[in-house]
């Protein structure tokens, strides 16, 4: 039985210390209504005169529990002897947890000094404890029943006990823990789904393993795994450590890490009682080894190795802990980047992650068995829409605001709670254009005849996986779309030169004016126009143009931008062929005239005169004795009308130095395009003593086209001289002449 009570003590310590595993951010209140079996079987084995110290073990355990209550814990103790023939007796003891050492000592003293009359095992005590528990407003409510016998001397069967416990836990606000000790104790079935936990220790050998298993289900890993050792180690930060050492004359002085020593915040002494009931019975066996100290250490304890400093030789050492952790929610974007600390987020899908950090810091705490298998949950509020999320969830967050709160539940009953700092969510979304088809626009020489009948486009926004209509606010913020004609990209196989020939948009003849339709959100009217002065320069086979539109809006941090696809706008060319012809003449007549005039200067269209020098030398050959050979001069003068196109070059040849009567000394010459010339006044030289290249001018119609070569001499025969003049090749300076005496 001593071993049974030792296990009970450890279980109740776990129960009390589970409250201190709560983070400062959230400390739940707890009401524990403990029903204590103070019947005669706790003093001696029923039907025998064998005394037992069960009462001493149980009382000592309750003293230790009282020394470890958290400041928001309430322990109410219902002694079964108070409910023999009664049903409405209040709990004999009401103890409240405290951080004040004197208040803690007073709680221990109340249990130590309480002596009851050993009686029976009425179930009325359990019912009353439950009835009071229903009135509790605590966050957690526990009904703990410790008994070593059957209720109502066996009249209240185990089946009835089970049914009662099921009724107690139906609301979910109350949980029941029952430990039956010995072969005569009432036995029930555990139903953990309903919050009912039961263990039965038949022999002393089984008690520790069974009760440890029971308490581990309720308060998982509240105790450090090091047992009966002054060396302790933990891999998560702690803010409270409780050391419970049993042994005569044991004193807990502190804990130490390296050179740093920590003194206890409270140090409470619990010890055995010497009187089991009132009046003092003949069976009053007690255990003088039940003597222990409970030291509480508050502070900030980093993960590491520590040493418990104590004096005396302890029989056992247990260490209980409160982790110094906060829960933190992490947000990861779709490519895995941690965006938790960003005050502004882009809308989209985010993965939720949770983890522990050292309280008050961003220092991550590694996964640890000392935190058990935590359960993380959060409530995110995105634009007044609540979303319950868990670790690893992928959630879609829309633009607007994001806040919420989240918590972690670890070691089953330990909870930390944190709020999410409000932040702004914005979007950077693409805009989507949808252009309606329509009949071709009609092209005339004056432009588009139906350009006042617009092309219609609808602008929407891609929001995540959906395409949604613009809101009135977004439509109002949308800029007037910029729509331009575009040239399609040349195929790659045409090479770089082809792409260089692409005209810039400013050089394209079509323009587009876009307007937002005031009657419908997202509707855009597009009016095409073409420069009237450039219409006739368009290809005659034109049947379409390509356009592209872009627009955007910004509201706060949110932006949206998008361009349409390259859109084909159909064109029907209604311009007549003769309109093209007239336009061509109107645009090209000057160049045509220039060409015609220019053509008039081009050989053989224009006949140019040979390069006859202006001053000519005329040879005078003596034709009479007494005369000497000599020379004189002639002059060739070109007509000023030679500058006219198409007109043959003309000129006059003056033989001013020739002394010949009856011969016209001025010849009218016209170009033939070669080295010959036409003698236009040939009639003046018919039947005259003059030859051209040795040929006289014929007396016929042929004289009108009489030609002679400019490289052959013109000869004039007179009484005294024969004059010879060659137009090409005889050149002399004006006023000079040469004489040659005839031999």
């Amino acid at each position: 039985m001593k071993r049974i009570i030792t296990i009970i003590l450890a279980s109740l310590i776990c129960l009390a210390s589970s409250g201190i595993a709560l983070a400062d951010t959230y400390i739940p209140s707890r009401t524990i209504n403990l029903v204590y079996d103070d019947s005669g079987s706790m003093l001696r084995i029923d039907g025998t005169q064998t005394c037992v110290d069960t009462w001493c073990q149980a009382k000592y355990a309750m003293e230790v529990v009282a020394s470890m209550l958290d400041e928001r814990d309430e322990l109410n103790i219902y002694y079964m002897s108070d409910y023999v023939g009664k049903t409405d007796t209040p709990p004999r003891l009401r103890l409240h947890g405290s951080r004040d050492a004197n208040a803690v000592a007073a709680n221990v003293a109340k249990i130590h000094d309480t002596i009851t009359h050993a009686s029976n095992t009425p179930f009325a005590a359990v019912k009353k404890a439950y009835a009071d528990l229903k009135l509790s407003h605590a966050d957690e409510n526990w009904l703990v029943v410790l008994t070593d016998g059957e209720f109502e001397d066996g009249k209240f069967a185990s089946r009835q006990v089970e049914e009662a416990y099921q009724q107690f836990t139906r609301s979910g606000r109350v949980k029941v823990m029952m430990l039956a000790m010995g072969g005569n104790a009432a036995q029930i079935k555990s139903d953990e789904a309903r919050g009912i936990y039961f263990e039965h220790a038949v022999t002393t050998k089984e008690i520790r393993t069974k009760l440890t298993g029971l308490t581990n289900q309720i308060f998982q890993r509240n105790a450090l795994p090091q047992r009966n050792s002054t060396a302790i180690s933990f891999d998560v930060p702690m803010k409270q450590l409780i050391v419970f050492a049993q042994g005569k004359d044991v004193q807990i002085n502190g804990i130490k890490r390296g050179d740093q020593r920590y003194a206890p915040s409270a140090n409470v002494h619990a010890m055995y009682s010497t009187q089991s009931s009132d009046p003092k019975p003949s069976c009053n066996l007690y255990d003088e080894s039940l003597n222990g100290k409970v030291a509480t250490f508050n502070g900030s304890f980093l993960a590491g190795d520590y040493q418990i400093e104590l004096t005396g030789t302890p029989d056992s050492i247990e260490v209980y802990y409160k982790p110094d952790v906060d829960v933190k929610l992490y947000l990861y974007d779709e490519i895995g980047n941690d965006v938790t600390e960003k005050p502004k987020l882009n809308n989209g899908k985010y993965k939720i992650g949770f983890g522990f950090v050292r309280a008050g810091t961003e220092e991550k705490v590694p996964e640890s068995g000392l935190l058990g298998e935590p359960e993380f949950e959060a409530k995110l509020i995105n634009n007044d829409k609540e979303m319950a999320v868990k670790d690893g969830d992928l959630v879609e967050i829309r633009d607007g605001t994001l806040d919420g709160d989240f918590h972690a539940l670890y070691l089953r009953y330990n909870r930390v709670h944190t709020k999410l700092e409000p932040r702004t969510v914005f979007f950077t979304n693409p805009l989507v254009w949808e252009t309606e088809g329509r009949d071709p626009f009609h092209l005339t020489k004056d432009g588009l005849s139906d350009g006042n009948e617009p092309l219609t486009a609808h602008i929407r926004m891609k929001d995540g996986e959906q395409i949604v209509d613009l809101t009135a606010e977004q439509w109002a913020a949308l800029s007037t779309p910029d729509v331009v004609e575009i040239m399609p990209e040349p195929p790659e196989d045409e090479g770089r030169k082809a792409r260089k020939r692409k005209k810039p948009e400013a050089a394209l003849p079509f323009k587009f004016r876009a307007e937002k339709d005031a009657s419908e959100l997202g509707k855009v009217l597009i009016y095409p126009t073409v420069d009237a002065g450039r219409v006739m320069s368009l290809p005659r086979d034109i049947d379409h143009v390509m356009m592209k539109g872009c627009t955007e809006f910004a509201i706060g941090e949110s932006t949206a931008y998008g361009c349409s696809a390259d859109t084909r706008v159909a064109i029907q060319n209604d311009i007549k062929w003769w309109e093209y012809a007239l336009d061509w003449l109107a645009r090209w007549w000057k160049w045509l005239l220039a060409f015609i005039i220019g053509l008039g200067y081009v050989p053989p269209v224009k006949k140019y005169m040979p390069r006859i020098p202006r001053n000519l030398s005329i040879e005078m050959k003596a034709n009479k004795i007494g005369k000497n050979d000599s020379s004189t001069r002639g002059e060739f003068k070109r007509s000023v009308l030679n500058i006219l196109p198409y007109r043959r070059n003309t000129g006059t040849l003056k033989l001013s130095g020739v002394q010949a009567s009856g011969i016209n000394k001025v010849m009218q010459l016209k170009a033939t395009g070669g080295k010959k010339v036409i003698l236009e006044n040939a009639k003046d030289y018919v039947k005259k003593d003059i030859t051209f290249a040795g040929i006289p001018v014929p007396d016929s119609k042929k004289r009108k086209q009489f030609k002679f070569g400019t490289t052959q001499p013109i000869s004039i025969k007179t009484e005294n001289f024969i004059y010879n003049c060659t137009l090409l090749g005889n050149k002399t300076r004006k006023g000079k002449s040469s004489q040659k005496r005839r031999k």
Side-chain angles (χ1 to χ4, degrees):
M1 187 61 67
K2 176 178 178 181
R3 296 290 293 168
I4 293 175
I5 300 305
T6 302
I7 300 302
I8 294 173
L9 174 62
S11 300
L12 293 178
I13 290 173
C14 287
L15 177 61
S17 64
S18 68
I20 63 173
L22 297 172
D24 283 343
T25 53
Y26 178 72
I27 302 177
S29 57
R30 177 183 286 110
T31 296
I32 305 168
N33 285 1
L34 188 149
V35 180
Y36 172 62
D37 184 356
D38 61 346
S39 63
S41 61
M42 299 287 281
L43 311 180
R44 66 175 176 268
I45 299 175
D46 287 340
T48 71
Q49 295 301 316
T50 303
C51 297
V52 294
D53 64 351
T54 305
W55 69 273
C56 184
Q57 300 279 356
K59 193 170 186 178
Y60 174 73
M62 288 192 295
E63 289 182 21
V64 174
V65 170
S67 71
M68 300 173 69
L69 292 176
D70 197 47
E71 58 184 328
R72 298 192 68 193
D73 287 345
E74 179 181 353
L75 175 63
N76 301 309
I77 302 178
Y78 297 77
Y79 292 82
M80 287 189 179
S81 61
D82 290 338
Y83 297 91
V84 177
K86 302 176 184 177
T87 60
D88 201 33
T89 304
R92 182 177 289 255
L93 295 179
R94 294 184 183 274
L95 308 178
H96 297 276
S98 175
R99 288 182 177 270
D100 181 78
N102 293 329
V104 174
N107 286 337
V108 173
K110 288 179 182 179
I111 297 174
H112 189 85
D113 295 341
T114 299
I115 302 174
T116 61
H117 176 69
S119 185
N120 296 326
T121 313
F123 196 73
V126 178
K127 291 182 177 180
K128 173 58 176 172
Y130 167 69
D132 290 348
L133 204 58
K134 288 197 301 181
L135 302 177
S136 169
H137 297 290
D139 297 323
E140 299 176 13
N141 298 285
W142 280 90
L143 174 62
V144 180
V145 180
L146 302 180
T147 180
D148 69 341
E150 293 183 311
F151 291 104
E152 307 289 353
D153 295 329
K155 297 177 182 179
F156 200 80
S158 296
R159 180 181 58 80
Q160 293 174 290
V161 175
E162 285 182 359
E163 292 175 352
Y165 288 167
Q166 291 172 3
Q167 180 67 30
F168 294 167
T169 60
R170 183 168 298 172
S171 67
R173 294 191 65 252
V174 175
K175 294 185 179 182
V176 176
M177 173 183 174
M178 177 175 171
L179 176 64
M181 300 168 289
N184 296 327
Q187 299 183 39
I188 62 171
K189 294 180 180 179
S190 288
D191 191 348
E192 296 183 10
R194 295 183 179 181
I196 301 173
Y197 304 89
F198 172 77
E199 276 293 347
H200 181 207
V202 179
T203 65
T204 303
K205 197 171 184 179
E206 294 177 332
I207 291 175
R208 178 175 292 276
T209 56
K210 287 184 176 291
L211 190 54
T212 300
L214 177 65
T215 54
N216 281 342
Q217 294 179 41
I218 302 175
F219 314 110
Q220 291 184 12
R221 295 185 180 268
N222 291 86
L224 286 178
Q226 298 97 330
R227 298 176 62 86
N228 300 321
S229 172
T230 57
I232 59 175
S233 178
F234 41 86
D235 55 4
V236 297
M238 302 292 181
K239 60 182 173 183
Q240 189 177 72
L241 296 170
I242 296 178
V243 179
F244 171 53
Q246 289 194 103
K248 188 177 181 180
D249 300 326
V250 169
Q251 183 66 39
I252 303 172
N253 301 315
I255 57 176
K256 186 177 182 182
R257 182 182 186 230
D259 296 333
Q260 189 166 6
R261 183 179 181 278
Y262 302 89
S265 305
N267 209 334
V268 180
H269 183 199
M271 64 179 296
Y272 61 92
S273 297
T274 58
Q275 184 173 345
S276 59
S277 66
D278 186 24
K280 190 172 183 178
S282 57
C283 269
N284 193 51
L285 185 66
Y286 53 88
D287 185 356
E288 294 184 358
S289 68
L290 299 178
N291 199 328
K293 296 292 174 58
V294 180
T296 302
F297 297 87
N298 294 311
S300 179
F301 306 100
L302 299 178
D305 299 325
Y306 291 79
Q307 187 72 29
I308 301 173
E309 294 181 324
L310 51 78
T311 56
T313 302
D315 296 329
S316 64
I317 300 175
E318 297 286 345
V319 180
Y320 304 93
Y321 62 90
K322 177 192 283 189
D324 190 19
V325 295
D326 287 336
V327 64
K328 185 173 178 64
L329 179 143
Y330 295 94
L331 292 174
Y332 302 94
D333 62 19
E334 291 187 275
I335 60 175
N337 295 322
D338 186 349
V339 296
T340 306
E341 302 304 325
K342 289 188 175 181
K344 298 175 182 178
L345 299 175
N346 199 345
N347 70 335
K349 292 183 178 180
Y350 290 86
K351 184 178 180 181
I352 302 298
F354 290 94
F356 287 109
V357 295
R358 183 183 171 196
T361 73
E362 297 297 322
E363 180 184 340
K364 291 185 177 181
V365 173
E367 294 183 3
S368 170
L370 297 180
L371 296 174
E373 296 182 0
E375 298 177 6
F376 299 100
E377 291 186 356
K379 179 178 68 176
L380 295 180
I381 303 175
N382 183 204
N383 298 329
D384 299 326
K385 178 183 177 182
E386 292 189 3
M387 296 181 289
V389 297
K390 295 183 178 181
D391 192 27
D393 283 355
L394 188 67
V395 298
E396 187 166 3
I397 300 175
R398 311 311 311 155
D399 55 290
T401 59
L402 178 69
D403 58 11
D405 61 308
F406 44 97
H407 66 267
L409 185 67
Y410 63 96
L411 299 177
R412 186 165 294 197
Y413 295 105
N414 302 297
R415 183 187 303 268
V416 283
H417 174 269
T418 307
K419 286 189 174 295
L420 180 68
E421 289 295 328
R423 61 197 63 201
T424 301
V425 182
F426 65 92
F427 61 75
T428 304
N429 288 342
L431 296 175
V432 179
W433 290 62
E434 299 172 356
T435 305
E436 294 181 2
R438 59 149 289 162
D439 295 335
F441 288 94
H442 293 271
L443 181 67
T444 69
K445 65 182 180 64
D446 298 319
L448 296 175
S449 62
D450 49 359
N452 59 343
E453 300 175 9
L455 192 70
T456 302
H458 295 274
I459 299 177
R460 305 176 73 196
M461 183 172 66
K462 187 174 183 182
D463 191 12
E465 300 297 326
Q466 298 180 335
I467 297 178
V468 299
D469 294 330
L470 299 181
T471 65
E473 182 185 19
Q474 293 167 350
W475 179 241
L478 188 78
S479 64
T480 301
D482 181 20
V483 183
V484 296
E485 180 187 1
I486 61 171
M487 288 287 288
E489 288 288 342
E492 287 295 327
D493 56 7
E494 289 191 14
R496 184 174 61 182
K497 290 183 178 179
R499 290 190 291 275
K500 282 187 174 181
R501 291 196 299 269
K502 181 181 176 183
K503 295 180 180 179
E505 292 181 355
L508 299 175
F510 281 87
K511 307 295 180 187
F512 295 88
R513 176 174 56 86
E515 295 179 356
K516 295 194 297 183
D517 191 341
S519 64
E520 183 179 341
L521 297 180
K523 185 177 180 180
V524 175
L525 306 177
I526 302 171
Y527 298 89
T529 61
V530 61
D531 185 355
R534 302 175 66 183
V535 170
M536 305 304 288
S537 63
L538 295 173
R540 296 187 64 178
D541 61 349
I542 184 171
D543 63 354
H544 74 279
V545 293
M546 300 299 293
M547 75 168 190
K548 186 172 186 176
C550 297
T551 187
E552 63 184 346
F553 72 80
I555 300 176
E557 299 292 333
S558 297
T559 60
Y561 174 82
C563 294
S564 69
D566 296 353
T567 305
R568 190 178 189 273
V569 181
I571 301 292
Q572 178 176 309
N573 190 353
D574 293 338
I575 303 174
K576 309 301 182 184
W577 69 267
W578 53 266
E579 291 177 310
Y580 277 110
L582 291 177
D583 176 74
W584 188 88
L585 288 174
R587 289 185 291 112
W588 294 99
W589 70 267
K590 293 181 180 179
W591 290 100
L592 180 61
L593 178 61
F595 173 77
I596 293 172
I597 293 174
L599 185 62
Y601 290 99
V602 178
V605 177
K606 183 176 176 65
K607 307 297 184 180
Y608 286 92
M609 189 72 70
R611 292 181 176 273
I612 302 172
R614 182 180 181 84
N615 297 314
L616 297 170
S617 175
I618 301 174
E619 183 184 54
M620 298 172 61
K621 188 175 182 181
N623 192 31
K624 187 178 182 179
I625 297 175
K627 297 294 183 180
N628 296 323
D629 292 345
S630 182
S631 65
T632 185
R633 65 182 180 82
E635 181 183 18
F636 179 74
K637 188 175 182 181
R638 298 176 184 273
S639 173
V640 295
L641 297 179
N642 287 348
I643 65 173
L644 298 177
Y646 296 97
R647 185 181 185 279
R648 292 181 183 225
N649 281 183
T650 60
T652 57
L653 177 60
K654 292 182 180 182
L655 305 175
S656 56
V658 176
Q659 301 296 323
S661 60
I663 295 177
N664 187 354
K665 297 179 182 179
V666 179
M667 297 180 183
Q668 304 293 330
L669 303 180
K670 181 186 292 186
T672 64
K675 291 187 177 182
K676 291 184 177 183
V677 292
I678 297 174
L679 182 61
E680 289 191 291
N681 59 339
K683 65 180 181 177
D684 293 342
Y685 302 99
V686 176
K687 297 180 179 181
K688 301 291 185 180
D689 288 332
I690 183 170
T691 62
F692 297 87
I695 301 172
V697 178
D699 184 13
S700 66
K701 291 182 179 180
K702 293 182 179 180
R703 69 174 180 268
K704 293 182 179 180
Q705 296 296 326
F706 182 76
K707 300 178 183 179
F708 66 93
T710 55
T711 60
Q712 300 297 321
I714 301 172
S715 297
I716 301 173
K717 188 176 181 181
T718 66
E719 182 180 357
N720 296 320
F721 295 97
I722 297 175
Y723 295 89
N724 292 315
C725 178
T726 302
L727 299 182
L728 292 179
N730 293 314
K731 182 177 180 182
T732 183
R733 291 184 296 173
K734 185 176 180 181
K736 299 288 185 178
S737 64
S738 61
Q739 293 185 355
K740 184 177 180 183
R741 183 176 297 274
R742 183 179 181 188
K743 293 182 179 180

